[in-house]
Amino acid sequence: MNPRHEELAALLNDDQRRALSTRLALLDRQLTETEALIVGGRFEGAMFKIENRLSPNRTQQILALLQMARAHVARLRDRFELSVQREDLARHLAGHFGILWTILENSRAAKLKGFGDVPDQLSQTLDPEIDALVEIVQQIRSLIAPQ
């Protein structure tokens, strides 16, 4: 361990170290996700599409800045002996799929009444499809759950 890093690390108390670690982890995650979107080129599903309309020159400039920012984050981690935030994939997915379950439950025909009249026929057509999606989400959630 670098003696200079020990001196810098001593400037933070434990709560400050945790707070700074968490904040830099959030920044690092966003930088990484941004880079993945830019490098991946296309990111789309059946109901969304993220399109990169940035010029190749701007794309390269952004990628260079992302790399610089991530280098700063790594330097701060090392200098202040910050802990790397580790997250279990199953817990991460469980949180997301719990939210998706709620979104689906709120997508049933009866829940759309707040946006206007809902014909009876909509419930007969929409709700079975929502039920199928809820079942798929539930199956994923059960596979994610600890054994």
Side-chain angles (χ1 to χ4, degrees):
M1 182 164 303
N2 186 328
R4 176 70 178 136
H5 291 177
E6 288 179 14
E7 289 176 31
L8 291 173
L11 296 174
L12 298 172
N13 67 36
D14 288 343
D15 291 336
Q16 292 167 332
R17 182 173 288 99
R18 275 191 296 278
L20 186 56
S21 292
T22 299
R23 291 170 182 166
L24 290 177
L26 290 170
L27 172 65
D28 192 30
R29 181 185 294 253
Q30 188 60 53
L31 296 170
T32 301
E33 289 176 7
T34 300
E35 182 178 20
L37 283 171
I38 290 173
V39 171
R42 292 179 62 192
F43 191 68
E44 64 185 83
M47 291 297 300
F48 78 96
K49 181 184 275 189
I50 297 176
E51 299 173 331
N52 182 357
R53 295 190 179 131
L54 298 167
S55 71
N57 183 44
R58 283 183 181 232
T59 297
Q60 290 308 311
Q61 289 176 345
I62 292 169
L63 288 172
L65 291 168
L66 291 172
Q67 186 176 16
M68 286 174 41
R70 292 179 73 198
H72 279 283
V73 169
R75 193 166 38 256
L76 286 167
R77 178 203 61 213
D78 294 342
R79 285 183 177 167
F80 290 97
E81 300 176 1
L82 302 174
S83 61
V84 173
Q85 304 289 308
R86 299 190 191 287
E87 185 177 4
D88 178 68
L89 177 61
R91 289 180 67 158
H92 178 85
L93 294 175
H96 284 284
F97 278 89
I99 293 168
L100 293 176
W101 179 86
T102 301
I103 289 169
L104 286 170
E105 288 294 336
N106 288 324
S107 297
R108 297 182 185 284
K111 298 286 187 166
L112 297 176
K113 288 182 181 177
F115 300 98
D117 291 336
V118 174
D120 292 335
Q121 191 177 8
L122 179 63
S123 178
Q124 297 166 5
T125 307
L126 176 62
D127 287 356
E129 297 291 342
I130 297 298
D131 289 339
L133 287 169
V134 167
E135 177 59 29
I136 291 168
V137 166
Q138 288 292 74
Q139 288 178 23
I140 293 170
R141 290 176 75 190
S142 69
L143 291 169
I144 293 167
Q147 307 239 344

